[in-house]
Amino acid sequence: MAAPARAADVVGSSLKLDVVLPALQAIVPRLSLGRHKGDAGKIAVVGGCKEYTGAPFFAGISALKMGADLAHVFCSKGAATVIKSYSPELIVHPTLEESYLLSKLAEKEKEEIKQKVLEEVEKWLPRFDCLVIGPGLGRDPLILDCVAAIIDSAKRDNIPMVIDGDALFLVTNNPELVCGYPLAILTPNFNEYKRLVARIMGPENDVLSNYHDIPDNNIPSLLKVLANRMGGVTIVQKGEKDIISDGNSVLISGFFGSPRRCGGQGDVLSGSIGVFTPWARQFLSQQDQSVTKLVTERLSKNPTLSGAFAGSLLVRKAAATAFSQHKRSTVTTNIIDSLGIR
């Protein structure tokens, strides 16, 4: 009997949910009275500043709605009280420091503060199954410096990370932070993707050197090359269809979706991928190949690719469900409310 077609072969024009759904369902840990708090996932969101407090809340609460047991948020002190007021479900750490509060300090003192921030976050890192870095982060230079150091620490601990929002700005300008790290997942929208292409591939290709001139056709092939050039990171190019590649293969998530483009949907996606990736990693780590065969044949042997595809599919389904009820008035909280609805 021939093996079922892989997701890469069935998406696009011939969508077959009956092929991919059993594989995705296999990844999800079973609920049991014998489980303990944290067994289904402990996720940390790194983001949130005085201007942007909604994004880290969306990412963290989406992780919980998807099935994670605990969600932490590491944010600036100016954002912490606001984020806490949104929900008691999130564990909020007012850890990050913003430059405008420290403008009168000498560089040496700022470096000491940066080190204290890093030490505070590092003592928590071993507890987490995945980091979601970037929602509501902003572009404060001190915060970005701290986040760069946090990324380096997470890599040393082999922690998967989803890079979104302004963390993509950081990585685009400093690609060495994630290049060659297979547990990194980048979630750029179309413009962020083009800037990344220009940064990584532009120096040796005049056509790709200006992100305004990068063509929007044949994205799967170019995305595969980009992910490969970045050393096998997984990239989710969000759009009408979510195109996902780790440099070896390409999955296209075109199921469901919504024509509504309200802000915050990307944060829901990053939080959801942050849950499914460690689930996929744990499932695929099993030694019995007869157990993991369902996922490796129908999706991928790579947990970041499988986790990204699963997160995309579930969020697109939630967006479609929310839009069917609210139409043009759909907002991100409606999508979050629809997470988990069959």
Side-chain angles (χ1 to χ4, degrees):
M1 181 177 177
R6 291 170 59 89
D9 301 322
V10 301
V11 294
S13 59
S14 54
L15 308 178
K16 295 186 181 295
L17 277 177
D18 60 330
V19 172
V20 295
L21 279 180
L24 298 178
Q25 290 165 344
I27 290 171
V28 179
R30 296 292 177 261
L31 293 174
S32 167
L33 294 176
R35 283 187 170 271
H36 304 287
K37 180 175 66 177
D39 286 352
K42 302 177 290 295
I43 311 302
V45 178
V46 181
C49 61
K50 65 185 180 71
E51 290 94 351
Y52 305 117
T53 57
F57 164 74
F58 289 153
I61 205 70
S62 297
L64 291 175
K65 293 275 286 186
M66 277 296 186
D69 286 339
L70 295 168
H72 294 243
V73 177
F74 292 84
C75 61
S76 74
K77 293 175 180 177
T81 302
V82 179
I83 296 171
K84 285 181 180 181
S85 73
Y86 293 150
S87 172
E89 306 285 354
L90 302 177
I91 302 167
V92 181
H93 305 259
T95 304
L96 304 180
E97 295 279 3
E98 297 185 73
S99 296
Y100 79 96
L101 295 173
L102 310 172
S103 58
K104 295 181 180 180
L105 297 183
E107 287 304 316
K108 182 181 178 181
E109 293 173 300
K110 290 181 181 179
E111 189 62 32
E112 290 173 352
I113 289 174
K114 173 185 167 183
Q115 191 58 39
K116 288 180 181 178
V117 169
L118 184 59
E119 289 172 0
E120 178 64 24
V121 176
E122 280 184 334
K123 72 182 184 184
W124 287 91
L125 284 182
R127 309 184 190 195
F128 299 131
D129 300 300
C130 188
L131 302 183
V132 179
I133 304 175
L137 189 65
R139 297 186 180 182
D140 182 279
L142 180 58
I143 287 182
L144 292 181
D145 282 348
C146 291
V147 169
I150 291 169
I151 289 174
D152 283 336
S153 294
K155 290 191 309 187
R156 287 194 295 271
D157 288 343
N158 244 14
I159 302 172
M161 62 182 79
V162 183
I163 305 294
D164 187 39
D166 281 317
L168 286 169
F169 169 80
L170 173 66
V171 165
T172 299
N173 290 309
N174 304 273
E176 68 279 359
L177 284 172
V178 297
C179 281
Y181 187 59
L183 295 177
I185 304 171
L186 281 57
T187 59
N189 59 32
F190 186 56
N191 285 326
E192 291 166 336
Y193 153 77
K194 291 200 295 182
R195 292 188 184 98
L196 197 58
V197 170
R199 178 67 174 83
I200 300 298
M201 301 170 66
E204 58 191 62
N205 187 326
D206 289 341
V207 176
L208 302 178
S209 60
N210 186 336
Y211 87 93
H212 293 290
D213 298 330
I214 294 172
D216 57 4
N217 59 343
N218 203 22
I219 290 176
S221 296
L222 188 56
L223 186 69
K224 183 177 179 180
V225 174
L226 176 63
N228 183 270
R229 291 283 182 87
M230 295 188 72
V233 304
T234 293
I235 304 175
V236 182
Q237 200 276 292
K238 301 176 291 191
E240 181 180 356
K241 296 180 180 179
D242 295 334
I243 306 170
I244 309 164
S245 180
D246 61 355
N248 291 313
S249 57
V250 179
L251 303 179
I252 302 176
S253 175
F255 305 102
F256 310 114
S258 163
R260 186 77 168 94
R261 289 292 180 266
C262 50
Q265 293 181 72
D267 306 308
V268 178
L269 176 63
S270 62
S272 301
I273 293 175
V275 177
F276 274 100
T277 296
W279 283 354
R281 190 185 187 197
Q282 182 178 34
F283 179 83
L284 291 169
S285 68
Q286 299 175 88
Q287 298 301 313
D288 189 346
Q289 294 185 2
S290 66
V291 175
T292 59
K293 182 180 179 181
L294 181 67
V295 174
T296 58
E297 287 188 348
R298 299 190 184 200
L299 275 173
S300 173
K301 296 179 180 179
N302 184 347
T304 59
L305 201 65
S306 296
F309 186 87
S312 169
L313 175 64
L314 267 293
V315 172
R316 293 175 71 91
K317 173 59 176 172
T321 300
F323 185 77
S324 70
Q325 298 171 357
H326 301 281
K327 303 303 181 184
R328 191 178 292 273
S329 66
T330 303
V331 292
T332 297
T333 50
N334 301 136
I335 297 172
I336 292 171
D337 288 341
S338 299
L339 292 173
I341 295 177
R342 293 177 67 90

